[in-house]
Amino acid sequence: MSVFIIRRLLQSLGVIFVMSMIVFFGVNVVGNPVDILASDDMTQEQIQAFVARLGLDRPIYEQYWYFVLNALRGDLGNSFVFAEPALKLILQRLPATLELALASMFLSVVIGIPLGIYAGLRPEARSSKVIMASSILGFSLPTFWVGLMFIMVFAVMLGWLPSTGRGDTTELLGIQVSFLTWDGLQHLLLPAINLALFKMSLVIRLARAGTREVALQDYVKFARAKGLSARRVVLVHIMKNIMIPVVTVLGLELGGVIAFSVVTETVFAWPGIGKLLIDSIQLLDRPVVVAYLIITVLMFILINLVVDILYSVLDPRVRLKDVKS
Amino acid sequence: MNAGKQPTLEVEDLRTHFFTKAGVVKAVDGVSFAVGQGEVLGLVGESGSGKSVTGFSILGLVDPPGRVVGGRILFKGEDLVPLGEDRMRALRGSRIAMIFQDPMMTLNPVLRVDTQMIEAILAHRKVSKAAAYDRARETLMRVGIASPDERLRSYPHQFSGGMRQRVAIAIALLNEPDLIIADEPTTALDVTIQAQILYEAQKLCRETGTALIWITHDLTVVAGLADRICVMYAGRDVEQGTVDQVLDHPLHPYTHGLIGSVPSRNRRGARLQQIPGMTPSLLNLAPGCAFRSRCPRATDRCEAEPTVTMRGDGRRVRCFNPVDADVSA
Ligand SMILES: Nc1ncnc2c1ncn2[C@@H]1O[C@H](COP(=O)(O)OP(=O)(O)OP(=O)(O)O)[C@@H](O)[C@H]1O
Ligand code: SF4
Ligand SMILES: [Mg+2]
């Protein structure tokens, strides 16, 4: 197991290295940050001094070299815009994104799994067909459009829920969270549902497919032949088996949710890293973009590791293979 | 069966059909038999003859598109066919247990063996978990599993096929049922273990009065174990009698073909012989005797559906021209 983890981490380092290079040079090609950052009334000298301060007068490979040296010391550079360490900017906003991502994961699991199992147990029922049709909608409607509709209906027309920001936050273990205050919870609801819809549809489909397959297995019939209640057969014998694919896919999706909460964060002005990324790309704030991507890749790797470990907890057959290898 | 005593299970003209998109599959279409306390009934027939479906029908575990469409299943005198799910659940695994055909598939791969055994006890008895564990342990030892504590902590994939089947048998025994339906439970086991299990099964029936329905392809097994034999063909019972009657003097041309023409005690030990021709498809089966296309004794009469004839010696046969007809005619 530990060999496996170390190999994983080494691979990830390679990925981070290659990716930082692509982003570093890529952003450079897209445009010159000086054009955006320098204001019109600056003199030529002022601009030169500004450029020199940011280190942008050096050749690009030299800039990259200094970037790598600094990065190894945990310094991902200062934001051109905020003149603050890029890493700090990201870590400040990470809790908001994590909260949104976890809330939407939570919603997609607690709503998606029961609906999926129900539809899998009664594939012919009308209610199951409604569930499956809705899940197709959840898949195919674009997130930003659904988000805008949510705002229009629930915030503008009905006025039930707020449409922007995080609302009141409280501190939990040194991190600011919204879900513990009533106001924060209200702010969280719409973006979380918006971000959850796609995942929920995925969970419904996975849970339904899994249930249909598992329900036909001999071991489920045998469980019934033992005289177990329908409840126990479904909640233990069927559910434990369908959780394996659900956890795998959801775990991998969690990375995606964090990385691509960009759309939802932009629509609902949610102050997370997704919104920071969009702003930084527009301003060609290279250090922040690079730092964002590095942090995201790190999170992906971490999450995948956790998923693998969870997977072996859920499926005893995987555990055996590990012992052998 | 002890005369005058009510049999543990009496199946009367059972019909279980599957209503598939392609048409109606009459998997079981007229089967009757009875098993009494401490008795072993061998249910014999080739693949697809409806043996397993008969077993599932008794337990009320036929899933859509299948349905029991006719007949009665009397368990200690009570008809199970119209019984509600709650009452049926209380009987399953408690009074009637079944051992499934494929041991590799009967245990849940993600649950430990102790979980799967203990839940079977707790579903029917109000006992502590510890008591249930002890009971599980004791039952595993009874089916010849050494170091039961270690086994109980394992997952099914750590077991061989034979070991899994013994666990499944142990699960069937947990609540000391009145009736056990064993669906080819020894096919996956090697010969020594087979013999051991058969011996244990027989002993169990004699000692506790459990009735046993033993489903199999294998006449060797039935000959040594069963009291009575019911031969199935295409969803119907075609012949029934004691082991000696059926094996030594088969009446139905199908049984006769299986056993071979020379009746002899030595024949016990032979597997079923291959009969030329194919098992008919049960989907939209043509009227008349289902064995007609393969039967050497078929006549024009066989275009009609033969009914069961009761013989004086307690035998039953479903045929217009049974094998001993020439002799008696
Ligand atoms: N769910 C189902 N849908 C349609 N037909 C079915 C279904 N289950 C069983 N059958 C049919 O019922 C018939 C009897 O099946 P069954 O499993 O009882 O045979 P069997 O005698 O146990 O055979 P084997 O010795 O191979 O186990 C088969 O022809 C099968 O095709
Ligand atoms: S009824 Fe006719 S076809 Fe059927 S087994 Fe008897 S002789 Fe053969
Ligand atoms: Mg079978």
Side-chain angles (χ1 to χ4, degrees):
Chain A
M1 195 72 181
S2 51
V3 175
F4 162 81
I5 293 176
I6 291 169
R7 202 189 312 140
R8 256 302 187 59
L9 289 177
L10 285 178
Q11 281 171 357
S12 326
L13 281 180
V15 172
I16 291 175
F17 178 71
V18 172
M19 192 215 53
S20 69
M21 207 172 340
I22 295 174
V23 174
F24 205 87
F25 292 98
V27 176
N28 195 62
V29 170
V30 175
N32 188 352
V34 180
D35 299 344
I36 293 173
L37 296 173
S39 48
D40 291 340
D41 51 352
M42 276 176 150
T43 67
Q44 201 57 32
E45 287 81 51
Q46 279 174 316
I47 291 179
Q48 296 259 294
F50 180 63
V51 165
R53 200 178 58 203
L54 297 182
L56 291 171
D57 53 342
R58 310 273 177 77
I60 180 81
Y61 54 84
E62 208 181 308
Q63 289 179 36
Y64 183 68
W65 174 243
Y66 282 113
F67 165 77
V68 172
L69 282 185
N70 288 330
L72 289 178
R73 279 186 263 124
D75 173 11
L76 293 177
N78 285 345
S79 161
F80 295 160
V81 181
F82 299 96
E84 274 190 78
L87 194 59
K88 187 177 148 209
L89 281 175
I90 288 172
L91 293 183
Q92 266 171 1
R93 291 164 195 242
L94 195 57
T97 297
L98 285 180
E99 181 175 24
L100 180 62
L102 291 177
S104 74
M105 276 294 166
F106 177 77
L107 285 178
S108 38
V109 169
V110 298
I111 299 175
I113 288 183
L115 288 181
I117 291 180
Y118 177 87
L121 291 175
R122 295 186 179 69
E124 300 303 327
R126 171 170 254 131
S127 42
S128 302
K129 288 182 175 150
V130 171
I131 292 172
M132 294 326 285
S134 320
S135 83
I136 292 179
L137 279 186
F139 262 131
S140 40
L141 293 179
T143 307
F144 77 90
W145 184 82
V146 176
L148 291 175
M149 286 301 124
F150 276 5
I151 291 179
M152 246 179 64
V153 175
F154 295 104
V156 179
M157 286 163 61
L158 298 172
W160 288 351
L161 291 165
S163 66
T164 54
R166 284 185 85 178
D168 295 342
T169 56
T170 44
E171 200 175 278
L172 178 74
L173 305 173
I175 296 169
Q176 293 295 321
V177 293
S178 297
F179 75 98
L180 289 179
T181 66
W182 179 237
D183 180 60
L185 204 58
Q186 284 182 320
H187 279 83
L188 181 59
L189 198 59
L190 282 185
I193 294 177
N194 182 223
L195 191 56
L197 279 184
F198 185 86
K199 242 52 67 185
M200 203 186 294
S201 309
L202 192 69
V203 172
I204 289 176
R205 308 216 132 233
L206 281 172
R208 183 185 95 118
T211 305
R212 291 201 66 178
E213 196 196 315
V214 170
L216 295 178
Q217 299 292 319
D218 267 5
Y219 56 76
V220 170
K221 202 166 203 170
F222 190 63
R224 289 161 64 203
K226 290 195 290 192
L228 304 184
S229 62
R231 197 186 147 82
R232 181 156 178 104
V233 171
V234 171
L235 293 186
V236 176
H237 285 258
I238 293 184
M239 192 139 107
K240 245 201 136 181
N241 277 285
I242 66 165
M243 284 317 276
I244 295 169
V246 171
V247 165
T248 314
V249 173
L250 266 190
L252 299 177
E253 286 285 321
L254 176 61
V257 173
I258 293 171
F260 305 113
S261 59
V262 175
V263 175
T264 300
E265 287 186 11
T266 310
V267 171
F268 289 92
W270 187 262
I273 55 173
K275 189 158 179 310
L276 178 68
L277 174 73
I278 291 291
D279 296 344
S280 303
I281 289 177
Q282 272 163 2
L283 296 172
L284 295 176
D285 195 347
R286 191 193 298 153
V288 177
V289 176
V290 174
Y292 170 90
L293 287 168
I294 287 175
I295 298 290
T296 312
V297 170
L298 277 176
M299 275 194 304
F300 257 90
I301 291 159
L302 207 72
I303 288 165
N304 286 4
L305 259 183
V306 172
V307 170
D308 278 326
I309 293 166
L310 257 186
Y311 192 79
S312 68
V313 171
L314 280 177
D315 191 344
R317 286 162 295 188
V318 175
R319 249 173 280 168
L320 188 76
K321 267 177 233 142
D322 274 346
V323 173
K324 277 181 187 157
S325 66
Chain B
M1 193 193 324
N2 305 339
K5 250 187 149 180
Q6 187 181 51
T8 305
L9 181 81
E10 234 178 323
V11 173
E12 287 174 9
D13 199 29
L14 178 69
R15 290 167 199 271
T16 304
H17 296 177
F18 289 88
F19 299 87
T20 65
K21 291 212 173 71
V24 181
V25 179
K26 298 182 177 175
V28 177
D29 202 29
V31 170
S32 307
F33 56 76
V35 236
Q37 266 193 18
E39 208 183 28
V40 182
L41 173 82
L43 197 57
V44 187
E46 58 194 1
S47 195
S49 54
K51 307 182 296 293
S52 297
V53 173
T54 303
F56 291 134
S57 304
I58 295 168
L59 275 178
L61 284 180
V62 179
D63 291 317
R67 192 152 45 85
V68 174
V69 294
R72 300 203 298 166
I73 301 170
L74 300 174
F75 179 68
K76 294 183 178 172
E78 183 182 21
D79 192 359
L80 302 184
V81 176
L83 214 59
E85 176 58 23
D86 278 352
R87 289 268 293 126
M88 205 60 221
R89 191 192 68 72
L91 287 178
R92 268 186 223 129
S94 160
R95 302 328 324 139
I96 309 175
M98 184 158 172
I99 302 160
F100 284 20
Q101 199 162 355
D102 184 355
M104 301 310 276
M105 302 302 296
T106 39
L107 297 176
N108 195 324
V110 302
L111 296 176
R112 272 176 19 179
V113 170
D114 54 0
T115 313
Q116 303 194 45
M117 293 190 80
I118 290 171
E119 67 179 3
I121 299 171
L122 296 185
H124 301 290
R125 295 187 198 179
K126 289 210 177 334
V127 295
S128 71
K129 239 180 162 166
Y133 181 91
D134 289 342
R135 172 81 190 139
R137 192 176 174 281
E138 177 195 316
T139 317
L140 279 185
M141 295 222 285
R142 193 148 148 219
V143 295
I145 289 183
S147 56
D149 289 303
E150 191 188 325
R151 295 302 178 183
L152 278 167
R153 260 180 280 117
S154 308
Y155 286 91
H157 66 84
Q158 293 164 305
F159 289 23
S160 68
M163 194 70 94
R164 287 189 212 194
Q165 194 61 303
R166 281 200 261 180
V167 172
I169 292 169
I171 289 176
L173 298 180
L174 280 175
N175 294 310
E176 298 177 326
D178 301 316
L179 171 68
I180 297 178
I181 303 163
D183 195 351
E184 313 226 23
T186 56
T187 334
L189 306 181
D190 70 52
V191 182
T192 3
I193 296 167
Q194 242 188 57
Q196 190 189 338
I197 298 267
L198 290 180
Y199 171 74
E200 285 287 340
Q202 214 160 18
K203 205 172 91 183
L204 174 86
C205 292
R206 302 280 176 263
E207 284 171 4
T208 63
T210 303
L212 184 60
I213 297 175
W214 197 277
I215 297 175
T216 184
H217 285 101
D218 192 341
L219 274 185
T220 329
V221 171
V222 182
L225 177 74
D227 301 303
R228 296 172 59 80
I229 292 183
C230 173
V231 181
M232 284 185 68
Y233 186 81
R236 297 171 179 83
D237 54 351
V238 292
E239 168 155 22
Q240 262 183 74
T242 64
V243 172
D244 289 339
Q245 287 169 336
V246 175
L247 292 189
D248 293 345
H249 303 286
L251 291 176
H252 196 278
Y254 172 64
T255 325
H256 195 254
L258 286 181
I259 294 171
S261 45
V262 192
S264 150
R265 292 302 274 193
N266 302 339
R267 283 257 149 233
R268 302 183 159 204
R271 287 194 166 244
L272 297 192
Q273 291 194 350
Q274 278 297 308
I275 302 178
M278 290 270 291
T279 319
S281 159
L282 295 180
L283 187 65
N284 307 322
L285 197 65
C289 177
F291 189 53
R292 204 169 61 225
S293 61
R294 297 163 80 185
C295 181
R297 302 177 64 86
T299 56
D300 287 348
R301 283 182 75 190
C302 308
E303 305 275 325
E305 171 97 38
T307 51
V308 175
T309 314
M310 307 274 192
R311 297 289 190 116
D313 48 5
R315 303 183 66 175
R316 301 155 55 99
V317 61
R318 191 192 286 272
C319 175
F320 291 118
N321 310 308
V323 176
D324 67 347
D326 320 325
V327 190
S328 54

